[in-house]
Amino acid sequence: MKRHLCMLSLVLVVQLSYAVDSDGEKDLIVIQETAWAQALVAGNMNAVDTLMHSDFRLIRTYSDAPPIDKAAYLGMTGMSTTSVEVTSVRAEVVDNVATAQATWSLDWQREGVGKLPPHYKVTDIWIKETDGIWRIISRVSQLADAPPAV
């Protein structure tokens, strides 16, 4: 009986430490999402670059255009962003992969195009690389009709 209680205690300690670690990793993903938004407002594409995995792809579900790779994303010209708000993030972490379901509201435009749609739902896949840094490898972007209800 004593052995069973000892094993049960050990299992609980391991599970609790994993939960704390997982919650900390989820918080890091939320921080990364917010850092991306702040970098867009600041026009700091170098900061966005550091958040991106070398194999990054953006898929826009509202367009027939092919995915946008990292170089094309960072090379877009004529974009200006006045404000960005990450209105919600729900992250799940399994080992070195995280998924984030997020909603974003932006005030932005592109030269020659004008104002762009303001509300998006994004599904992001983040990879924790060997250096311990989370980098986004995939973003699927969907238009949203309105900001999320609070």
Side-chain angles (χ1 to χ4, degrees):
M1 179 69 163
K2 201 173 194 181
R3 178 185 280 176
H4 290 290
L5 287 175
C6 208
M7 288 300 290
L8 180 61
S9 295
L10 179 60
V11 168
L12 286 173
V13 167
V14 169
Q15 286 179 339
L16 286 174
S17 67
Y18 176 77
V20 168
D21 184 51
S22 178
D23 286 344
E25 296 295 309
K26 288 178 187 179
D27 291 342
L28 290 174
I29 298 303
V30 172
I31 289 167
Q32 298 287 70
E33 294 278 342
T34 304
W36 185 303
Q38 292 170 346
L40 289 179
V41 172
N44 186 350
M45 296 312 283
N46 288 331
V48 173
D49 181 21
T50 64
L51 296 169
M52 299 169 97
H53 187 278
S54 59
D55 293 326
F56 172 83
R57 295 290 182 272
L58 168 65
I59 300 165
R60 296 167 293 171
T61 62
Y62 47 89
S63 169
D64 290 336
I68 297 171
D69 66 11
K70 181 177 181 175
Y73 187 95
L74 294 172
M76 283 189 222
T77 59
M79 302 292 284
S80 63
T81 308
T82 308
S83 67
V84 179
E85 181 181 4
V86 178
T87 50
S88 68
V89 179
R90 190 179 74 238
E92 293 298 324
V93 177
V94 177
D95 298 325
N96 67 333
V97 177
T99 59
Q101 301 283 326
T103 54
W104 290 47
S105 291
L106 303 94
D107 184 5
W108 63 331
Q109 61 186 359
R110 185 164 189 182
E111 190 177 300
V113 175
K115 286 217 176 256
L116 299 171
H119 306 295
Y120 294 85
K121 296 176 187 176
V122 298
T123 302
D124 294 337
I125 307 298
W126 295 82
I127 303 291
K128 188 174 187 180
E129 295 189 316
T130 55
D131 61 4
I133 303 296
W134 287 99
R135 291 192 173 82
I136 185 171
I137 192 166
S138 174
R139 171 166 284 171
V140 177
S141 177
Q142 300 173 270
L143 293 175
D145 295 330
V150 180

